[in-house]
Amino acid sequence: MTMPETYNAYDAQADVYSKSHLRWLRFAGGEAQCAFEGAVTALLHPGMRLIDVACGTGTVARRLRRGVNGDVDLVLLDASQRMLDQCSDIPAARIKGCMMDLPFDTGCFDLLTCAWGIETLCDPRPALAEFIRVTKPGGHICLVFCADRPAQSFIGRALRHNVAATGRGTFLDHRTIGEYAMDAGARQIQTLHCTGPAAAMILHV
């Protein structure tokens, strides 16, 4: 399940989340974020059905829509209504829901993205199984998450400590996440090159 303190932290920080997250990207997770967005951009084509799970304030979704001139059937899902409220400017279906029990039919999305979401779970395996279930055969799942790797700077180390101390998630072993995904039915795992306490990968379904 989602760690209760993590859910409360994100709900309480919805209004200021984007600013604090930018600090994380600047000093710790930026390389992984760039690898993630590059992969999604390469896979995304006009007319696709895309779901952004744990969409947060919609920063990723806005950039992805611009890349296809808005020609995408977009669904935004987050457990925090206050986060979803920050996405009111995005032409998309906005759904409050849990990533471990997605309210969608099997195989209904061409592409699923989840940025900085699975590390908020006590156990990411149910979510990974759901991601694979709702993605069409031949589709793709793109992930970026806090990973158990050393930070490259003092500020990065401080930010890593802050993420854990404020209840916004844990740091996952990217190899274990790949193994979980394969066990859940992924056809292939592609780990993207990045450094720092973060990882990005594509699950091919």
Side-chain angles (χ1 to χ4, degrees), residues 57-73:
T57 57
T59 302
V60 169
R62 291 184 187 90
R63 284 200 287 263
L64 295 179
R65 285 192 75 256
R66 286 196 293 269
V68 289
N69 295 317
D71 186 11
V72 63
D73 181 4

Side-chain angles (χ1 to χ4, degrees), residues 73-136:
D73 181 4
L74 177 61
V75 176
L76 303 177
L77 182 138
D78 202 280
S80 167
Q81 184 61 52
R82 293 194 65 199
M83 286 288 195
L84 286 170
D85 291 344
Q86 301 293 317
C87 304
S88 60
D89 61 303
I90 303 173
R94 294 181 295 277
I95 297 175
K96 181 180 178 182
C98 175
M99 71 180 86
M100 296 178 293
D101 186 19
L102 297 175
F104 307 105
D105 292 336
T106 297
C108 63
F109 293 102
D110 300 292
L111 183 61
L112 182 149
T113 61
C114 183
W116 315 108
I118 61 171
E119 64 268 58
T120 67
L121 303 174
C122 294
D123 182 354
R125 285 174 289 187
L128 291 170
E130 280 290 271
F131 294 174
I132 291 166
R133 181 185 67 80
V134 302
T135 303
K136 294 178 181 178

